[in-house]
PDB file of all heavy atoms in Angstrom:
ATOM      1  N   VAL A   1      -4.011 -40.062  76.807  1.00  0.00           N
ATOM      2  CA  VAL A   1      -3.720 -39.944  75.373  1.00  0.00           C
ATOM      3  C   VAL A   1      -3.694 -41.321  74.726  1.00  0.00           C
ATOM      4  O   VAL A   1      -4.251 -41.531  73.643  1.00  0.00           O
ATOM      5  CB  VAL A   1      -2.377 -39.213  75.148  1.00  0.00           C
ATOM      6  CG1 VAL A   1      -2.008 -39.203  73.668  1.00  0.00           C
ATOM      7  CG2 VAL A   1      -2.448 -37.793  75.689  1.00  0.00           C
ATOM      8  N   GLY A   2      -3.055 -42.272  75.396  1.00  0.00           N
ATOM      9  CA  GLY A   2      -3.004 -43.642  74.887  1.00  0.00           C
ATOM     10  C   GLY A   2      -4.384 -44.232  74.662  1.00  0.00           C
ATOM     11  O   GLY A   2      -4.612 -44.963  73.688  1.00  0.00           O
ATOM     12  N   GLU A   3      -5.309 -43.925  75.562  1.00  0.00           N
ATOM     13  CA  GLU A   3      -6.689 -44.389  75.402  1.00  0.00           C
ATOM     14  C   GLU A   3      -7.385 -43.674  74.248  1.00  0.00           C
ATOM     15  O   GLU A   3      -8.048 -44.296  73.414  1.00  0.00           O
ATOM     16  CB  GLU A   3      -7.481 -44.169  76.696  1.00  0.00           C
ATOM     17  CG  GLU A   3      -7.183 -45.175  77.785  1.00  0.00           C
ATOM     18  CD  GLU A   3      -7.549 -46.596  77.386  1.00  0.00           C
ATOM     19  OE1 GLU A   3      -8.601 -46.781  76.742  1.00  0.00           O
ATOM     20  OE2 GLU A   3      -6.779 -47.511  77.689  1.00  0.00           O
ATOM     21  N   LEU A   4      -7.236 -42.348  74.214  1.00  0.00           N
ATOM     22  CA  LEU A   4      -7.945 -41.548  73.217  1.00  0.00           C
ATOM     23  C   LEU A   4      -7.614 -41.980  71.794  1.00  0.00           C
ATOM     24  O   LEU A   4      -8.510 -42.071  70.936  1.00  0.00           O
ATOM     25  CB  LEU A   4      -7.601 -40.066  73.423  1.00  0.00           C
ATOM     26  CG  LEU A   4      -8.248 -39.059  72.466  1.00  0.00           C
ATOM     27  CD1 LEU A   4      -9.763 -39.132  72.526  1.00  0.00           C
ATOM     28  CD2 LEU A   4      -7.771 -37.643  72.792  1.00  0.00           C
ATOM     29  N   VAL A   5      -6.345 -42.277  71.522  1.00  0.00           N
ATOM     30  CA  VAL A   5      -5.930 -42.568  70.144  1.00  0.00           C
ATOM     31  C   VAL A   5      -6.363 -43.954  69.671  1.00  0.00           C
ATOM     32  O   VAL A   5      -6.196 -44.280  68.492  1.00  0.00           O
ATOM     33  CB  VAL A   5      -4.404 -42.401  69.960  1.00  0.00           C
ATOM     34  CG1 VAL A   5      -3.980 -40.995  70.324  1.00  0.00           C
ATOM     35  CG2 VAL A   5      -3.617 -43.422  70.756  1.00  0.00           C
ATOM     36  N   THR A   6      -6.916 -44.743  70.569  1.00  0.00           N
ATOM     37  CA  THR A   6      -7.367 -46.083  70.173  1.00  0.00           C
ATOM     38  C   THR A   6      -8.888 -46.249  70.273  1.00  0.00           C
ATOM     39  O   THR A   6      -9.397 -47.333  70.016  1.00  0.00           O
ATOM     40  CB  THR A   6      -6.697 -47.157  71.056  1.00  0.00           C
ATOM     41  OG1 THR A   6      -7.035 -46.934  72.430  1.00  0.00           O
ATOM     42  CG2 THR A   6      -5.184 -47.123  70.904  1.00  0.00           C
ATOM     43  N   MET A   7      -9.620 -45.171  70.617  1.00  0.00           N
ATOM     44  CA  MET A   7     -11.071 -45.294  70.838  1.00  0.00           C
ATOM     45  C   MET A   7     -11.847 -45.158  69.519  1.00  0.00           C
ATOM     46  O   MET A   7     -12.599 -44.220  69.302  1.00  0.00           O
ATOM     47  CB  MET A   7     -11.538 -44.239  71.854  1.00  0.00           C
ATOM     48  CG  MET A   7     -10.939 -44.448  73.228  1.00  0.00           C
ATOM     49  SD  MET A   7     -11.737 -43.547  74.588  1.00  0.00           S
ATOM     50  CE  MET A   7     -12.239 -42.019  73.898  1.00  0.00           C
ATOM     51  N   LYS A   8     -11.625 -46.146  68.628  1.00  0.00           N
ATOM     52  CA  LYS A   8     -12.213 -46.039  67.292  1.00  0.00           C
ATOM     53  C   LYS A   8     -13.735 -46.145  67.288  1.00  0.00           C
ATOM     54  O   LYS A   8     -14.384 -45.744  66.316  1.00  0.00           O
ATOM     55  CB  LYS A   8     -11.597 -47.079  66.354  1.00  0.00           C
ATOM     56  CG  LYS A   8     -11.705 -48.516  66.815  1.00  0.00           C
ATOM     57  CD  LYS A   8     -10.925 -49.429  65.876  1.00  0.00           C
ATOM     58  CE  LYS A   8     -10.993 -50.879  66.344  1.00  0.00           C
ATOM     59  NZ  LYS A   8     -10.219 -51.779  65.465  1.00  0.00           N
ATOM     60  N   ASP A   9     -14.328 -46.668  68.362  1.00  0.00           N
ATOM     61  CA  ASP A   9     -15.784 -46.715  68.432  1.00  0.00           C
ATOM     62  C   ASP A   9     -16.389 -45.348  68.720  1.00  0.00           C
ATOM     63  O   ASP A   9     -17.571 -45.113  68.445  1.00  0.00           O
ATOM     64  CB  ASP A   9     -16.242 -47.692  69.525  1.00  0.00           C
ATOM     65  CG  ASP A   9     -15.988 -49.139  69.151  1.00  0.00           C
ATOM     66  OD1 ASP A   9     -15.830 -49.410  67.936  1.00  0.00           O
ATOM     67  OD2 ASP A   9     -15.921 -49.989  70.057  1.00  0.00           O
ATOM     68  N   TYR A  10     -15.583 -44.461  69.279  1.00  0.00           N
ATOM     69  CA  TYR A  10     -16.110 -43.169  69.722  1.00  0.00           C
ATOM     70  C   TYR A  10     -15.479 -41.962  69.040  1.00  0.00           C
ATOM     71  O   TYR A  10     -16.061 -40.873  69.058  1.00  0.00           O
ATOM     72  CB  TYR A  10     -15.917 -43.024  71.244  1.00  0.00           C
ATOM     73  CG  TYR A  10     -16.574 -44.110  72.045  1.00  0.00           C
ATOM     74  CD1 TYR A  10     -15.828 -44.921  72.893  1.00  0.00           C
ATOM     75  CD2 TYR A  10     -17.949 -44.351  71.960  1.00  0.00           C
ATOM     76  CE1 TYR A  10     -16.423 -45.929  73.641  1.00  0.00           C
ATOM     77  CE2 TYR A  10     -18.553 -45.354  72.694  1.00  0.00           C
ATOM     78  CZ  TYR A  10     -17.787 -46.140  73.533  1.00  0.00           C
ATOM     79  OH  TYR A  10     -18.389 -47.145  74.264  1.00  0.00           O
ATOM     80  N   VAL A  11     -14.300 -42.113  68.451  1.00  0.00           N
ATOM     81  CA  VAL A  11     -13.591 -40.979  67.844  1.00  0.00           C
ATOM     82  C   VAL A  11     -13.378 -41.263  66.360  1.00  0.00           C
ATOM     83  O   VAL A  11     -12.945 -42.347  65.981  1.00  0.00           O
ATOM     84  CB  VAL A  11     -12.233 -40.732  68.545  1.00  0.00           C
ATOM     85  CG1 VAL A  11     -11.506 -39.543  67.915  1.00  0.00           C
ATOM     86  CG2 VAL A  11     -12.434 -40.488  70.040  1.00  0.00           C
ATOM     87  N   ASP A  12     -13.688 -40.269  65.508  1.00  0.00           N
ATOM     88  CA  ASP A  12     -13.614 -40.467  64.061  1.00  0.00           C
ATOM     89  C   ASP A  12     -12.314 -39.975  63.444  1.00  0.00           C
ATOM     90  O   ASP A  12     -11.861 -40.489  62.424  1.00  0.00           O
ATOM     91  CB  ASP A  12     -14.796 -39.760  63.386  1.00  0.00           C
ATOM     92  CG  ASP A  12     -16.120 -40.372  63.808  1.00  0.00           C
ATOM     93  OD1 ASP A  12     -16.397 -41.516  63.409  1.00  0.00           O
ATOM     94  OD2 ASP A  12     -16.864 -39.715  64.571  1.00  0.00           O
ATOM     95  N   VAL A  13     -11.711 -38.955  64.022  1.00  0.00           N
ATOM     96  CA  VAL A  13     -10.459 -38.419  63.487  1.00  0.00           C
ATOM     97  C   VAL A  13      -9.683 -37.761  64.625  1.00  0.00           C
ATOM     98  O   VAL A  13     -10.280 -37.232  65.571  1.00  0.00           O
ATOM     99  CB  VAL A  13     -10.724 -37.418  62.335  1.00  0.00           C
ATOM    100  CG1 VAL A  13     -11.418 -36.152  62.837  1.00  0.00           C
ATOM    101  CG2 VAL A  13      -9.450 -37.056  61.588  1.00  0.00           C
ATOM    102  N   LEU A  14      -8.357 -37.817  64.534  1.00  0.00           N
ATOM    103  CA  LEU A  14      -7.482 -37.199  65.527  1.00  0.00           C
ATOM    104  C   LEU A  14      -6.700 -36.051  64.888  1.00  0.00           C
ATOM    105  O   LEU A  14      -6.291 -36.137  63.723  1.00  0.00           O
ATOM    106  CB  LEU A  14      -6.480 -38.214  66.080  1.00  0.00           C
ATOM    107  CG  LEU A  14      -7.048 -39.357  66.921  1.00  0.00           C
ATOM    108  CD1 LEU A  14      -5.993 -40.430  67.096  1.00  0.00           C
ATOM    109  CD2 LEU A  14      -7.521 -38.849  68.283  1.00  0.00           C
ATOM    110  N   VAL A  15      -6.491 -34.992  65.677  1.00  0.00           N
ATOM    111  CA  VAL A  15      -5.665 -33.873  65.229  1.00  0.00           C
ATOM    112  C   VAL A  15      -4.632 -33.578  66.317  1.00  0.00           C
ATOM    113  O   VAL A  15      -4.965 -32.967  67.331  1.00  0.00           O
ATOM    114  CB  VAL A  15      -6.501 -32.608  64.952  1.00  0.00           C
ATOM    115  CG1 VAL A  15      -5.614 -31.500  64.392  1.00  0.00           C
ATOM    116  CG2 VAL A  15      -7.660 -32.901  64.011  1.00  0.00           C
ATOM    117  N   PRO A  16      -3.389 -34.036  66.154  1.00  0.00           N
ATOM    118  CA  PRO A  16      -2.345 -33.687  67.131  1.00  0.00           C
ATOM    119  C   PRO A  16      -1.708 -32.347  66.775  1.00  0.00           C
ATOM    120  O   PRO A  16      -1.426 -32.069  65.615  1.00  0.00           O
ATOM    121  CB  PRO A  16      -1.332 -34.820  66.977  1.00  0.00           C
ATOM    122  CG  PRO A  16      -1.497 -35.295  65.573  1.00  0.00           C
ATOM    123  CD  PRO A  16      -2.910 -34.984  65.139  1.00  0.00           C
ATOM    124  N   ARG A  17      -1.491 -31.510  67.784  1.00  0.00           N
ATOM    125  CA  ARG A  17      -0.811 -30.226  67.579  1.00  0.00           C
ATOM    126  C   ARG A  17       0.274 -30.080  68.630  1.00  0.00           C
ATOM    127  O   ARG A  17      -0.020 -30.064  69.821  1.00  0.00           O
ATOM    128  CB  ARG A  17      -1.798 -29.054  67.673  1.00  0.00           C
ATOM    129  CG  ARG A  17      -2.813 -29.036  66.568  1.00  0.00           C
ATOM    130  CD  ARG A  17      -3.589 -27.743  66.550  1.00  0.00           C
ATOM    131  NE  ARG A  17      -2.739 -26.585  66.324  1.00  0.00           N
ATOM    132  CZ  ARG A  17      -3.218 -25.341  66.171  1.00  0.00           C
ATOM    133  NH1 ARG A  17      -4.511 -25.121  66.246  1.00  0.00           N
ATOM    134  NH2 ARG A  17      -2.397 -24.336  65.968  1.00  0.00           N
ATOM    135  N   GLY A  18       1.505 -30.022  68.191  1.00  0.00           N
ATOM    136  CA  GLY A  18       2.601 -29.899  69.143  1.00  0.00           C
ATOM    137  C   GLY A  18       3.916 -30.232  68.481  1.00  0.00           C
ATOM    138  O   GLY A  18       4.060 -30.129  67.259  1.00  0.00           O
ATOM    139  N   GLY A  19       4.875 -30.665  69.278  1.00  0.00           N
ATOM    140  CA  GLY A  19       6.198 -30.980  68.771  1.00  0.00           C
ATOM    141  C   GLY A  19       6.217 -32.262  67.954  1.00  0.00           C
ATOM    142  O   GLY A  19       5.266 -33.054  67.960  1.00  0.00           O
ATOM    143  N   LYS A  20       7.325 -32.453  67.246  1.00  0.00           N
ATOM    144  CA  LYS A  20       7.468 -33.603  66.359  1.00  0.00           C
ATOM    145  C   LYS A  20       7.315 -34.922  67.107  1.00  0.00           C
ATOM    146  O   LYS A  20       6.687 -35.864  66.611  1.00  0.00           O
ATOM    147  CB  LYS A  20       8.827 -33.535  65.663  1.00  0.00           C
ATOM    148  CG  LYS A  20       9.023 -34.578  64.579  1.00  0.00           C
ATOM    149  CD  LYS A  20      10.353 -34.384  63.871  1.00  0.00           C
ATOM    150  CE  LYS A  20      10.535 -35.430  62.773  1.00  0.00           C
ATOM    151  NZ  LYS A  20      11.832 -35.252  62.069  1.00  0.00           N
ATOM    152  N   SER A  21       7.859 -35.003  68.330  1.00  0.00           N
ATOM    153  CA  SER A  21       7.794 -36.263  69.080  1.00  0.00           C
ATOM    154  C   SER A  21       6.349 -36.619  69.433  1.00  0.00           C
ATOM    155  O   SER A  21       5.953 -37.786  69.356  1.00  0.00           O
ATOM    156  CB  SER A  21       8.641 -36.183  70.348  1.00  0.00           C
ATOM    157  OG  SER A  21       8.190 -35.149  71.198  1.00  0.00           O
ATOM    158  N   LEU A  22       5.546 -35.616  69.800  1.00  0.00           N
ATOM    159  CA  LEU A  22       4.138 -35.862  70.105  1.00  0.00           C
ATOM    160  C   LEU A  22       3.413 -36.390  68.865  1.00  0.00           C
ATOM    161  O   LEU A  22       2.690 -37.398  68.927  1.00  0.00           O
ATOM    162  CB  LEU A  22       3.453 -34.585  70.598  1.00  0.00           C
ATOM    163  CG  LEU A  22       1.923 -34.680  70.710  1.00  0.00           C
ATOM    164  CD1 LEU A  22       1.507 -35.480  71.935  1.00  0.00           C
ATOM    165  CD2 LEU A  22       1.265 -33.311  70.744  1.00  0.00           C
ATOM    166  N   ILE A  23       3.621 -35.718  67.750  1.00  0.00           N
ATOM    167  CA  ILE A  23       2.893 -36.087  66.528  1.00  0.00           C
ATOM    168  C   ILE A  23       3.329 -37.463  66.033  1.00  0.00           C
ATOM    169  O   ILE A  23       2.508 -38.265  65.579  1.00  0.00           O
ATOM    170  CB  ILE A  23       3.072 -35.002  65.454  1.00  0.00           C
ATOM    171  CG1 ILE A  23       2.435 -33.690  65.956  1.00  0.00           C
ATOM    172  CG2 ILE A  23       2.435 -35.418  64.134  1.00  0.00           C
ATOM    173  CD1 ILE A  23       2.764 -32.475  65.130  1.00  0.00           C
ATOM    174  N   GLU A  24       4.627 -37.763  66.146  1.00  0.00           N
ATOM    175  CA  GLU A  24       5.101 -39.099  65.757  1.00  0.00           C
ATOM    176  C   GLU A  24       4.482 -40.167  66.647  1.00  0.00           C
ATOM    177  O   GLU A  24       4.087 -41.238  66.168  1.00  0.00           O
ATOM    178  CB  GLU A  24       6.627 -39.156  65.846  1.00  0.00           C
ATOM    179  CG  GLU A  24       7.315 -38.463  64.691  1.00  0.00           C
ATOM    180  CD  GLU A  24       8.822 -38.513  64.785  1.00  0.00           C
ATOM    181  OE1 GLU A  24       9.356 -38.554  65.920  1.00  0.00           O
ATOM    182  OE2 GLU A  24       9.478 -38.497  63.722  1.00  0.00           O
ATOM    183  N   ARG A  25       4.368 -39.884  67.951  1.00  0.00           N
ATOM    184  CA  ARG A  25       3.763 -40.854  68.870  1.00  0.00           C
ATOM    185  C   ARG A  25       2.299 -41.107  68.494  1.00  0.00           C
ATOM    186  O   ARG A  25       1.856 -42.255  68.401  1.00  0.00           O
ATOM    187  CB  ARG A  25       3.849 -40.349  70.316  1.00  0.00           C
ATOM    188  CG  ARG A  25       3.215 -41.328  71.296  1.00  0.00           C
ATOM    189  CD  ARG A  25       2.885 -40.720  72.650  1.00  0.00           C
ATOM    190  NE  ARG A  25       2.002 -41.624  73.396  1.00  0.00           N
ATOM    191  CZ  ARG A  25       1.391 -41.294  74.520  1.00  0.00           C
ATOM    192  NH1 ARG A  25       1.541 -40.108  75.056  1.00  0.00           N
ATOM    193  NH2 ARG A  25       0.599 -42.170  75.129  1.00  0.00           N
ATOM    194  N   ILE A  26       1.555 -40.027  68.268  1.00  0.00           N
ATOM    195  CA  ILE A  26       0.136 -40.169  67.937  1.00  0.00           C
ATOM    196  C   ILE A  26      -0.019 -40.944  66.629  1.00  0.00           C
ATOM    197  O   ILE A  26      -0.850 -41.854  66.520  1.00  0.00           O
ATOM    198  CB  ILE A  26      -0.541 -38.785  67.817  1.00  0.00           C
ATOM    199  CG1 ILE A  26      -0.397 -37.976  69.112  1.00  0.00           C
ATOM    200  CG2 ILE A  26      -2.010 -38.943  67.439  1.00  0.00           C
ATOM    201  CD1 ILE A  26      -0.854 -38.659  70.358  1.00  0.00           C
ATOM    202  N   SER A  27       0.784 -40.584  65.638  1.00  0.00           N
ATOM    203  CA  SER A  27       0.682 -41.233  64.327  1.00  0.00           C
ATOM    204  C   SER A  27       0.977 -42.723  64.401  1.00  0.00           C
ATOM    205  O   SER A  27       0.349 -43.529  63.704  1.00  0.00           O
ATOM    206  CB  SER A  27       1.631 -40.559  63.330  1.00  0.00           C
ATOM    207  OG  SER A  27       1.332 -39.194  63.203  1.00  0.00           O
ATOM    208  N   SER A  28       1.935 -43.111  65.248  1.00  0.00           N
ATOM    209  CA  SER A  28       2.315 -44.521  65.330  1.00  0.00           C
ATOM    210  C   SER A  28       1.344 -45.340  66.169  1.00  0.00           C
ATOM    211  O   SER A  28       1.129 -46.525  65.905  1.00  0.00           O
ATOM    212  CB  SER A  28       3.737 -44.656  65.883  1.00  0.00           C
ATOM    213  OG  SER A  28       3.802 -44.198  67.222  1.00  0.00           O
ATOM    214  N   GLU A  29       0.737 -44.727  67.189  1.00  0.00           N
ATOM    215  CA  GLU A  29      -0.137 -45.469  68.091  1.00  0.00           C
ATOM    216  C   GLU A  29      -1.608 -45.445  67.679  1.00  0.00           C
ATOM    217  O   GLU A  29      -2.395 -46.296  68.112  1.00  0.00           O
ATOM    218  CB  GLU A  29      -0.018 -44.903  69.518  1.00  0.00           C
ATOM    219  CG  GLU A  29       1.342 -45.122  70.157  1.00  0.00           C
ATOM    220  CD  GLU A  29       1.416 -44.582  71.575  1.00  0.00           C
ATOM    221  OE1 GLU A  29       0.335 -44.243  72.140  1.00  0.00           O
ATOM    222  OE2 GLU A  29       2.519 -44.498  72.132  1.00  0.00           O
ATOM    223  N   ALA A  30      -1.991 -44.480  66.851  1.00  0.00           N
ATOM    224  CA  ALA A  30      -3.413 -44.274  66.566  1.00  0.00           C
ATOM    225  C   ALA A  30      -4.016 -45.408  65.744  1.00  0.00           C
ATOM    226  O   ALA A  30      -3.381 -45.949  64.837  1.00  0.00           O
ATOM    227  CB  ALA A  30      -3.606 -42.947  65.840  1.00  0.00           C
ATOM    228  N   ARG A  31      -5.254 -45.750  66.083  1.00  0.00           N
ATOM    229  CA  ARG A  31      -6.053 -46.678  65.275  1.00  0.00           C
ATOM    230  C   ARG A  31      -7.158 -45.911  64.552  1.00  0.00           C
ATOM    231  O   ARG A  31      -8.141 -46.493  64.106  1.00  0.00           O
ATOM    232  CB  ARG A  31      -6.658 -47.747  66.169  1.00  0.00           C
ATOM    233  CG  ARG A  31      -5.624 -48.613  66.884  1.00  0.00           C
ATOM    234  CD  ARG A  31      -6.285 -49.664  67.731  1.00  0.00           C
ATOM    235  NE  ARG A  31      -5.319 -50.364  68.584  1.00  0.00           N
ATOM    236  CZ  ARG A  31      -5.656 -51.215  69.532  1.00  0.00           C
ATOM    237  NH1 ARG A  31      -6.951 -51.483  69.756  1.00  0.00           N
ATOM    238  NH2 ARG A  31      -4.737 -51.805  70.273  1.00  0.00           N
ATOM    239  N   ILE A  32      -6.995 -44.616  64.486  1.00  0.00           N
ATOM    240  CA  ILE A  32      -7.987 -43.691  63.949  1.00  0.00           C
ATOM    241  C   ILE A  32      -7.259 -42.787  62.956  1.00  0.00           C
ATOM    242  O   ILE A  32      -6.081 -42.472  63.166  1.00  0.00           O
ATOM    243  CB  ILE A  32      -8.586 -42.840  65.106  1.00  0.00           C
ATOM    244  CG1 ILE A  32      -9.237 -43.737  66.158  1.00  0.00           C
ATOM    245  CG2 ILE A  32      -9.596 -41.818  64.599  1.00  0.00           C
ATOM    246  CD1 ILE A  32      -9.394 -43.064  67.508  1.00  0.00           C
ATOM    247  N   PRO A  33      -7.902 -42.334  61.870  1.00  0.00           N
ATOM    248  CA  PRO A  33      -7.234 -41.410  60.942  1.00  0.00           C
ATOM    249  C   PRO A  33      -6.712 -40.161  61.655  1.00  0.00           C
ATOM    250  O   PRO A  33      -7.339 -39.650  62.581  1.00  0.00           O
ATOM    251  CB  PRO A  33      -8.343 -41.052  59.945  1.00  0.00           C
ATOM    252  CG  PRO A  33      -9.284 -42.211  59.990  1.00  0.00           C
ATOM    253  CD  PRO A  33      -9.264 -42.694  61.406  1.00  0.00           C
ATOM    254  N   VAL A  34      -5.539 -39.682  61.203  1.00  0.00           N
ATOM    255  CA  VAL A  34      -4.877 -38.538  61.841  1.00  0.00           C
ATOM    256  C   VAL A  34      -4.675 -37.427  60.808  1.00  0.00           C
ATOM    257  O   VAL A  34      -4.168 -37.668  59.712  1.00  0.00           O
ATOM    258  CB  VAL A  34      -3.509 -38.949  62.431  1.00  0.00           C
ATOM    259  CG1 VAL A  34      -2.823 -37.755  63.080  1.00  0.00           C
ATOM    260  CG2 VAL A  34      -3.672 -40.084  63.439  1.00  0.00           C
ATOM    261  N   ILE A  35      -5.087 -36.189  61.157  1.00  0.00           N
ATOM    262  CA  ILE A  35      -4.794 -34.998  60.356  1.00  0.00           C
ATOM    263  C   ILE A  35      -3.577 -34.350  61.004  1.00  0.00           C
ATOM    264  O   ILE A  35      -3.628 -33.954  62.169  1.00  0.00           O
ATOM    265  CB  ILE A  35      -5.982 -34.021  60.346  1.00  0.00           C
ATOM    266  CG1 ILE A  35      -7.194 -34.652  59.641  1.00  0.00           C
ATOM    267  CG2 ILE A  35      -5.599 -32.715  59.661  1.00  0.00           C
ATOM    268  CD1 ILE A  35      -8.463 -33.813  59.725  1.00  0.00           C
ATOM    269  N   LYS A  36      -2.464 -34.216  60.245  1.00  0.00           N
ATOM    270  CA  LYS A  36      -1.219 -33.840  60.932  1.00  0.00           C
ATOM    271  C   LYS A  36      -0.217 -33.169  60.007  1.00  0.00           C
ATOM    272  O   LYS A  36      -0.325 -33.220  58.784  1.00  0.00           O
ATOM    273  CB  LYS A  36      -0.556 -35.098  61.505  1.00  0.00           C
ATOM    274  CG  LYS A  36      -0.024 -36.014  60.404  1.00  0.00           C
ATOM    275  CD  LYS A  36       0.543 -37.290  60.923  1.00  0.00           C
ATOM    276  CE  LYS A  36       1.205 -38.108  59.822  1.00  0.00           C
ATOM    277  NZ  LYS A  36       0.293 -38.438  58.715  1.00  0.00           N
ATOM    278  N   HIS A  37       0.755 -32.524  60.644  1.00  0.00           N
ATOM    279  CA  HIS A  37       2.044 -32.235  60.025  1.00  0.00           C
ATOM    280  C   HIS A  37       3.099 -32.493  61.085  1.00  0.00           C
ATOM    281  O   HIS A  37       2.899 -32.197  62.258  1.00  0.00           O
ATOM    282  CB  HIS A  37       2.132 -30.797  59.504  1.00  0.00           C
ATOM    283  CG  HIS A  37       2.315 -29.761  60.569  1.00  0.00           C
ATOM    284  ND1 HIS A  37       1.245 -29.192  61.229  1.00  0.00           N
ATOM    285  CD2 HIS A  37       3.432 -29.212  61.103  1.00  0.00           C
ATOM    286  CE1 HIS A  37       1.704 -28.333  62.126  1.00  0.00           C
ATOM    287  NE2 HIS A  37       3.024 -28.316  62.063  1.00  0.00           N
TER     288      HIS A  37
END
């Protein structure tokens, strides 16, 4: 997951689905736009 959220050369957008802690982690670590709630 840590790798995926930073692979801006290969990934254009991230969509996390799960608990609040997961989504907060993805939102804080991502170098890619995130679609989330």
Side-chain angles (χ1 to χ4, degrees):
V1 175
E3 283 298 320
L4 180 59
V5 302
T6 60
M7 295 195 325
K8 56 186 179 181
D9 289 340
Y10 302 121
V11 180
D12 296 290
V13 67
L14 293 166
V15 184
R17 294 191 61 175
K20 188 176 181 180
S21 60
L22 170 76
I23 296 169
E24 283 180 330
R25 179 198 166 190
I26 302 307
S27 301
S28 65
E29 293 181 12
R31 298 181 189 172
I32 301 159
V34 180
I35 295 173
K36 69 184 186 302
H37 75 273

